[in-house]
Amino acid sequence: MAGYKERVTKDLDLWIAAGHVAADKRAAILGSIPDARRLDAATALAWVGGLLLGIAIIAFIGANWDGMPKIARFAVLITVFAACAGAGAWAAHKARPIASNILLMIASVVFAAAIGLTGQIFDIAGDPKAAAYASGIAALALALAGRSTGAATVGLVFIAIGDFTDRQWFSGAESEAPWMLFAAPLGAFLALRWGSAPLAHVTALAIIYCFGWFAGRMEADAGVFLFLALLLGAAAAGARWLYAQERAFSGVFFGWFTAGALLFFAIAGYLPWFGDENSANAGLAHRLVWLLASGGVLALGRFDRHALVTAVGVLSLIGAVCATLMDLGLDLMAAAGVFLLCAIAALVAGLMLRRSKTHA
């Protein structure tokens, strides 16, 4: 979906051509609409540089670790963390949001390293999972205090590391609830509230992971996967509504939730539920619905001009076609013929649509 200013520009040219708006008003009208915020190269390099700076600080401390007494080591860790956090607060006070965001992200990374190094200083036997969770909570606290999307992203990453540490997958009702169940909704709220694309991507994947954990807790039953696919589809519909309301980066959730819904539906077809319970496949009925759903998502992505949804529809359609061909037991030559016919049909349909649009 094009940005608001781009759509107004296109419509304004049509209104001027139709005589509804004077041509000399065009510049004034467009000038009153703010440009959409974009991540330029300088800002992207600043983010990469900030992350590398945090890693460099940790590496420098580690390189000189053995030559310092214990108190000096601890003092260095506290000083570096306090300096980064204080610099982030100063940048926020001076209305420099990008610098504040990057500095708080560095502070969250330094704090995570400080937890492990502090345990090494005082010979404290620690739990890796607890250390990851503590780092994640501290990073989220810094994010909330300083409105830092970078620190929030770091916090979600460390929460995920804690969830994946010593995890017993598909262990039924005894599976321990991941902390991401609480962190992911907070991340989604902050991503939409602050308009952060990286945080939106990380949070969307975290939410899909939570759905996967629930499916594993229920011992991977096909009915559960279908139910979760419907929930993700409903979430995608809600994100699409926000996307139509011009909510910043809600389209990220729209794309990932759509991908999650199709993925869970595809997995459900290979679990015993539809037909014979002793069969590993759901049959051609599932493949037909999968094909139709993929085609619908592809059409929806083109209608909304949403690149991620369109790509999800294409990949899902390819997967559905391949699964159908495997079920039919076609050899490679027959499969190649089917794909050739589909490609020819797609090209002919595209040329006809382009020709009809040109004549119109």
Side-chain angles (χ1 to χ4, degrees), residues 309-322:
V309 174
T310 303
V312 168
V314 171
L315 293 176
S316 179
L317 188 61
I318 293 174
V321 170
C322 292

Side-chain angles (χ1 to χ4, degrees), residues 235-260:
R240 181 176 182 267
W241 179 82
L242 292 175
Y243 180 61
Q245 302 300 315
E246 301 291 339
R247 288 296 299 270
F249 302 113
S250 56
V252 174
F253 292 98
F254 177 29
W256 282 115
F257 289 165
T258 302

Side-chain angles (χ1 to χ4, degrees), residues 53-63 109-110 113 117:
L53 176 60
I55 298 174
I57 292 173
I58 297 171
F60 177 79
I61 295 174
V109 174
V110 171
L117 294 176

Side-chain angles (χ1 to χ4, degrees), residues 201 203-213 215 224-237 239 251-269 286 290 293-294 297 308-309 311-313 315-316:
H201 282 287
T203 303
L205 292 173
I207 292 175
I208 295 175
Y209 155 67
C210 292
F211 275 80
W213 167 82
V224 174
F225 271 90
L226 282 178
F227 177 71
L228 294 178
L230 292 176
L231 287 181
L232 280 171
V252 174
F253 292 98
F254 177 29
W256 282 115
F257 289 165
T258 302
L262 289 175
L263 175 63
F264 276 68
F265 181 80
I267 294 174
H286 170 266
W290 187 5
S294 301
V297 168
L308 180 56
V309 174
V312 168
L315 293 176
S316 179

